[in-house]
Amino acid sequence: MDLPIVLSHRTAVLYYRAPDRATVRGRDYDLNPTAGRARDVAIRVRGLLSDCGVPEYGLARLDVLCPTEHDRVGSKEFKSYVYGGPIPMKQLIHLAPGLFIIKPELCFILAATYMKDIELLELGFEFCGSYELDSTGNGSPYRKRKALTSVKKIRTTAKDCAGAHGARKAKRALARMRDGARSPMETALALMILAPHRHGGLNYLGIEMNRRIDIPEDMRRSCSLEYLEADVFAPAAQAVIEYDGDVHAPLKQRTRDADRSSAFLRLGYRMHTVTAGHFSEQLPLHRALNGIAETLGIKAPSSAAFQRKQNELRKQLIKRWKREDDRKPAPASEKDGNAQGTEGVDSEPAATSVNGGAMQEAEGVGPGPDPAPQSGDAVYEAEGHGPARISEKDGRAREAETDRPAPASKDDRDKRRQSVRAPHRQ
């Protein structure tokens, strides 16, 4: 098998999410021009990736990038992708003798060839943000780290590699990407605003992530903070949109959050707070986004089709969330009735995902099945029956029906007649 090898595509994404990748750089895994058969080379490459922390499911078949069709690896151990010319060395990182990996910028561009629009945007926010998703399934759903790249660097790479597969789609996605997200939840909030209408977003591009706002000197005596950072900031509307999902925050943190909100308001900004509870159900999030749209000076679509798209986007963005604290066992009285039950933050049952599996919950999110439709409000998807809408008129009619007295029995009617006729007999 010809060396060197260039890891790419899905294998590269898993590498950039591996917790121990910094520990293997420069180690010799005996990958040399005489390494032998493709199977032997694959075993050594898997050893390196396993040491990085790449999960086993990502090691079955390794994605590699080849300059031309003639350089494809003819082995089931590898999946070859053709770059279409010499691979620029400035887009590669040397992992070990005989082994390279594409940089995050080129990784994002090539991801556009197999990822859908929203998934690609999530990856872009992750690479340009200060967190990475955990692909091992152990512990927290994400980890803090420094940003791998930036929107500006990816745009430069897309221009330099204009002929690469996925470059055009990546350029379009960059218009809706922002630097500085600190968690998947902040990314979800931003994408509910940035995503186009066809995907269920508000299609509003004038936002920044974690914008620093300094506290004026004359406010320092009444504020414990020197500066503020707005999760989502809309300069044109002077609006601050915050995500709050930590229902277990200690008193000190809650006090700090209250000081932040008070400071934003005193500085003249219009504030909106979106919580984990909003993201847990379609209707609360729909209402919250309508309020945000009004503050931003735009009109959110109200059609049933848009609301379905908005709900699909919500589900897409929260599918990887899970509660960070360990679940507590259910009380003894509940165990008898439901042996598999667990007690959540608000004693709510775990929700199910779009695909029917148990949805992992994040920072207090306990989304159960979407509630029953409410009069005059958004569309809900009834299981097996499609979307349903109940008008205010129908709601009042149902209330009137429930207020009517039950029909009298035959004996009651006979007694009533006798009581009415009795005076006439006298």
Side-chain angles (χ1 to χ4, degrees):
M1 178 178 178
D2 294 334
L3 295 177
I5 298 170
V6 178
L7 300 176
S8 66
H9 293 73
R10 295 172 181 84
T11 302
V13 171
L14 288 173
Y15 170 82
Y16 286 118
R17 290 173 175 167
D20 301 318
R21 60 181 180 274
T23 63
V24 302
R25 295 277 293 273
R27 288 190 199 172
D28 189 356
Y29 283 81
D30 198 21
L31 290 166
N32 52 63
T34 59
R37 299 179 302 171
R39 183 178 179 182
D40 297 329
V41 173
I43 290 173
R44 292 165 189 171
V45 174
R46 289 189 184 109
L48 180 147
L49 294 173
S50 181
D51 290 345
C52 291
V54 173
E56 193 171 338
Y57 69 82
L59 303 177
R61 197 173 186 188
L62 306 174
D63 292 348
V64 294
L65 191 63
C66 307
T68 66
E69 287 282 350
H70 299 290
D71 300 307
R72 284 183 177 273
V73 180
S75 170
K76 64 179 182 180
E77 307 289 340
F78 296 93
K79 185 173 183 179
S80 300
Y81 293 87
V82 176
Y83 182 75
I87 304 171
M89 284 301 296
K90 65 179 182 179
Q91 298 301 332
L92 302 180
I93 296 173
H94 184 250
L95 293 182
L99 184 64
F100 292 82
I101 192 166
I102 57 175
K103 286 186 175 180
E105 296 82 10
L106 184 56
C107 182
F108 174 80
I109 291 169
L110 296 181
T113 62
Y114 63 90
M115 285 186 175
K116 294 183 178 179
D117 292 348
I118 298 302
E119 187 181 7
L120 182 65
L121 286 170
E122 288 183 281
L123 180 69
F125 270 79
E126 179 185 347
F127 278 9
C128 298
S130 57
Y131 72 93
E132 63 190 19
L133 295 178
D134 177 69
S135 57
T136 64
N138 301 320
S140 175
Y142 69 96
R143 293 179 297 273
K144 293 289 186 180
R145 53 129 173 85
K146 292 182 179 179
L148 298 178
T149 184
S150 67
V151 173
K152 183 178 180 180
K153 288 181 179 179
I154 296 175
R155 185 174 284 114
T156 300
T157 301
K159 185 178 180 180
D160 293 343
C161 305
H165 298 294
R168 292 178 64 184
K169 182 177 177 180
K171 286 180 183 178
R172 291 195 299 269
L174 287 169
R176 300 181 190 275
M177 278 172 49
R178 299 292 182 271
D179 296 330
R182 294 176 296 195
S183 72
M185 292 73 78
E186 287 187 6
T187 292
L189 176 59
L191 287 179
M192 293 301 305
I193 298 170
L194 287 164
H197 289 159
R198 71 177 182 274
H199 289 307
L202 296 181
N203 196 35
Y204 185 85
L205 302 183
I207 66 169
E208 303 172 23
M209 301 292 293
N210 291 297
R211 164 79 170 268
R212 174 170 171 151
I213 301 171
D214 291 317
I215 301 290
E217 287 291 341
D218 58 353
M219 281 181 57
R220 295 285 176 85
R221 292 183 62 187
S222 59
C223 183
S224 61
L225 307 170
E226 294 184 1
Y227 65 90
L228 304 167
E229 285 186 345
D231 291 347
V232 176
F233 181 63
Q238 288 293 284
V240 172
I241 306 162
E242 294 278 285
Y243 175 81
D244 182 8
D246 194 356
V247 297
H248 290 306
L251 180 61
K252 187 175 181 180
Q253 179 62 43
R254 295 202 302 272
T255 302
R256 182 183 177 87
D257 291 343
D259 287 347
R260 290 177 75 254
S261 298
S262 177
F264 277 130
L265 293 172
R266 289 179 62 192
L267 288 170
Y269 297 109
R270 292 183 285 179
M271 271 205 69
H272 288 269
T273 300
V274 179
T275 69
H278 287 111
F279 271 100
S280 70
E281 298 175 7
Q282 186 264 344
L283 180 56
L285 184 61
H286 175 68
R287 289 171 173 165
L289 290 170
N290 283 345
I292 291 170
E294 185 177 339
T295 297
L296 297 177
I298 60 175
K299 186 175 181 180
S302 59
S303 67
F306 173 76
Q307 291 182 48
R308 280 193 291 269
K309 288 292 184 184
Q310 191 179 65
N311 197 33
E312 290 169 6
L313 178 60
R314 176 189 71 85
K315 291 178 179 179
Q316 165 75 15
L317 294 173
I318 68 174
K319 68 182 181 180
R320 289 193 179 99
W321 297 11
K322 76 174 182 179
R323 182 174 298 138
E324 294 187 36
D325 57 327
D326 295 330
R327 290 184 175 184
K328 300 175 183 179
S333 59
E334 295 182 6
K335 289 181 180 179
D336 296 337
N338 183 4
Q340 295 179 343
T342 57
E343 182 181 343
V345 174
D346 298 314
S347 299
E348 294 178 353
T352 55
S353 68
V354 183
N355 297 325
M359 182 170 68
Q360 296 180 319
E361 301 167 5
E363 291 197 45
V365 173
D370 284 346
Q374 300 183 16
S375 63
D377 256 315
V379 172
Y380 278 84
E381 296 175 358
E383 191 172 345
H385 303 288
R389 181 187 293 275
I390 296 180
S391 67
E392 294 181 4
K393 181 179 179 181
D394 293 337
R396 289 193 297 270
R398 292 186 182 182
E399 290 177 3
E401 289 178 1
T402 58
D403 291 338
R404 292 175 184 171
S409 65
K410 186 176 182 299
D411 292 341
D412 291 338
R413 290 197 298 271
D414 290 342
K415 289 178 181 179
R416 195 177 298 117
R417 291 194 196 99
Q418 291 174 4
S419 64
V420 172
R421 293 171 183 170
H424 295 287
R425 291 197 192 99
Q426 297 175 358

